[in-house]
Amino acid sequence: MRLDQSAQRDAEGFVTVTVAEQRFGIPLAYVDHVFVPDALFAVPLAPPEIAGLINLRGRILTAVDLRPRLSLPERADHGPMVALEIETCGGLYGLLADAAGEVMWAAPGSVERAPSNLDARWADLCSGVCQLEDGLLVALDVDRVLNFSQSAS
C-alpha cells in the first residue's frame, strides 16, 4: 500500500518478508537493519527455532528461523536467507526469512484483527492482517515471536 508522505506520518510501516512463499510484515519500528548473514554458529541444545548465533559487526545476535517458529516447512538445501536485526525483549536477534521485500505502509485502521479461522499457531504470533492490492500481509507481533515460552508447534 503506497501512501503520500503526510499519510505516512500516521501510518504503520512494515518490512515485508517472505517465508516459505508466505508474506509477512515485521513492524518497521523493530527493524534496525536487513542483511545477509555470513555464517551461523550452532547453539547446542537450542530449540529448533534457534538457528544459531550471528556475529554482526562485533555484536552477537541470536538467529531465530521464522520457518520452524511459524510451523512452516524446512528450507530446501539451506537456500538463500536474509536476517532482520532486532533489539527487543532484552536481547539482540536476527529474524531469518527467505527474502526481504519493501517497506509497506498501512493506513491507520487498515490492519484488521486476525480472522478467527486463522491457524492457532499463526494467530498466537500475529498482530493482524492487512489487505493489499495483490493479496494479504500477515503482520507479526515481534514480542510474541520472540517469546519462546509460547511454542508455535
Side-chain angles (χ1 to χ4, degrees):
M1 178 176 298
R2 306 236 188 268
L3 302 174
D4 63 34
Q5 285 185 337
S6 62
Q8 284 183 10
R9 284 192 294 271
D10 299 324
E12 186 173 3
F14 295 96
V15 175
T16 62
V17 296
T18 304
V19 181
E21 300 182 22
Q22 301 289 324
R23 188 166 38 175
F24 297 94
I26 308 292
L28 184 58
Y30 281 91
V31 179
D32 293 329
H33 185 65
V34 178
F35 63 98
V36 175
D38 287 334
L40 290 174
F41 301 93
V43 177
L45 304 176
E49 297 94 339
I50 304 299
L53 299 175
I54 299 171
N55 182 348
L56 179 65
R57 300 182 308 268
R59 296 174 55 152
I60 305 303
L61 284 67
T62 301
V64 177
D65 192 342
L66 288 174
R67 279 179 174 259
R69 188 66 181 127
L70 296 168
S71 301
L72 294 169
E74 288 184 32
R75 188 174 286 106
D77 300 325
H78 303 288
M81 67 177 137
V82 298
L84 286 75
E85 178 186 2
I86 292 177
E87 185 170 356
T88 189
C89 299
L92 295 170
Y93 299 91
L95 291 183
L96 301 178
D98 300 340
E102 61 187 343
V103 172
M104 307 284 298
W105 296 96
S110 67
V111 178
E112 302 174 21
R113 286 185 38 213
S116 61
N117 62 346
L118 188 66
D119 186 293
R121 294 169 293 189
W122 281 18
D124 289 342
L125 302 176
C126 125
S127 60
V129 177
C130 183
Q131 186 171 342
L132 304 173
E133 291 174 11
D134 62 343
L136 296 176
L137 178 75
V138 176
L140 294 177
D141 182 313
V142 172
D143 293 323
R144 284 190 258 171
V145 167
L146 296 174
N147 179 354
F148 294 103
S149 64
Q150 270 183 242
S151 176
S153 48

